Amino acid sequence: MAEFQHSLRPTCTANIAQLLQRGKSVNLIGADGTGRERLLEDIRAALPETAVILVNLKNYRRSYDSLLEEIWRQLGKNGEKPANLTAMIEQCERQNRQTFLCLHNFDALLDTTENDAKYDTAFYDALNFCRNRPNIALLCVTQNPHDQSLVSINGKLIRNSWLDLEQKRIPALTR
C-alpha cells in the first residue's frame, strides 16, 4: 500500500486500484465534494505504468464524438482513430499495458434524454465489454448506484442500467 500513502484515502484508493488491476468493473459511489475525482487522480499518480484515462462526462454528454476524441488523446493517439467505443477498447486491448477507463460523473448520462443520440445501446454494451478484456478495466463514478438510474436510448428513458459493475461507496474522511 506504500504507493498510495499520498492519497486522500490510502486504503480505499489501494482497494479500488486492486479491483481494477484484476479486471473488475467498478461503480464508485459518493456525493459531490467527497473526493471522488481526487481518488481517480491518486490512482493515476500511483500507477504511472498504467494508462489511466480520466474523463468527466459532464463535459461530453452532448458529444459522443468529443468523448472518443478525448479518450484517444489521452491514449496517445496511436494508430488510426477508432470509430466507436468498442473499437477504442479493442485498440487498448492490443496495447502492451493495462488501461483503466475512468468515467467521472457517469450519472450525467443517466436519468435524462438530453444526451447525444450516439450514447445508445452499443455504447453501454461497449462499457460492459470491458469486463471481458484482460488488460482494460472500467470505473464509473456516480452519486447514487448506477443500477437505480434509467438509461436514455433514442431520446427515451427505457430501463435501468444493465452495466455489470461492482459497487463501492467512497468512505467518509476520518482523522
Side-chain angles (χ1 to χ4, degrees):
M1 180 160 61
E3 68 261 15
F4 293 102
Q5 290 306 312
H6 73 283
S7 301
L8 188 60
R9 293 177 175 87
T11 303
C12 176
T13 305
N15 290 340
I16 297 294
Q18 288 171 358
L19 286 171
L20 295 171
Q21 287 172 323
R22 291 195 319 252
K24 301 285 185 187
S25 293
V26 178
N27 177 202
L28 180 65
I29 304 161
D32 276 340
T34 58
R36 301 174 313 164
E37 188 171 18
R38 167 68 189 269
L39 188 141
L40 303 179
E41 292 167 356
D42 288 345
I43 289 173
R44 177 186 265 172
L47 301 173
E49 70 285 351
T50 301
V52 180
I53 309 304
L54 302 179
V55 180
N56 185 339
L57 284 178
K58 281 186 179 179
N59 301 329
Y60 298 98
R61 61 186 286 242
R62 296 190 188 268
S63 179
Y64 174 84
D65 292 331
S66 294
L67 171 70
L68 290 182
E69 180 69 34
E70 177 59 19
I71 294 170
W72 191 55
R73 184 192 67 75
Q74 289 189 40
L75 286 170
K77 294 188 175 185
N78 295 326
E80 185 177 334
K81 180 182 171 193
N84 55 47
L85 188 59
T86 301
M88 185 88 61
I89 291 166
E90 289 170 346
Q91 186 181 64
C92 290
E93 189 176 21
R94 289 189 295 272
Q95 294 181 357
N96 195 20
R97 67 178 180 169
Q98 193 162 36
T99 301
F100 298 163
L101 177 58
C102 302
L103 302 177
H104 186 49
N105 290 313
F106 183 73
D107 35 16
L109 298 181
L110 304 173
D111 295 329
T112 182
T113 59
E114 298 178 9
N115 300 326
D116 186 328
K118 291 181 182 177
Y119 290 109
D120 56 9
T121 304
F123 169 76
Y124 292 98
D125 288 345
L127 294 179
N128 256 342
F129 183 62
C130 290
R131 73 171 195 247
N132 299 318
R133 310 284 47 106
N135 63 340
I136 187 162
L138 173 67
L139 175 64
C140 295
V141 182
T142 59
Q143 290 187 45
N144 298 301
H146 76 93
D147 61 357
Q148 297 176 7
S149 300
L150 297 175
V151 174
S152 173
I153 305 294
N154 296 326
K156 296 179 183 172
L157 293 174
I158 60 160
R159 62 184 261 198
N160 290 50
S161 172
W162 62 92
L163 293 178
D164 186 12
L165 304 174
E166 188 168 328
Q167 296 180 2
K168 296 292 180 183
R169 290 198 178 271
I170 195 164
L173 286 173
T174 61
R175 294 180 187 246

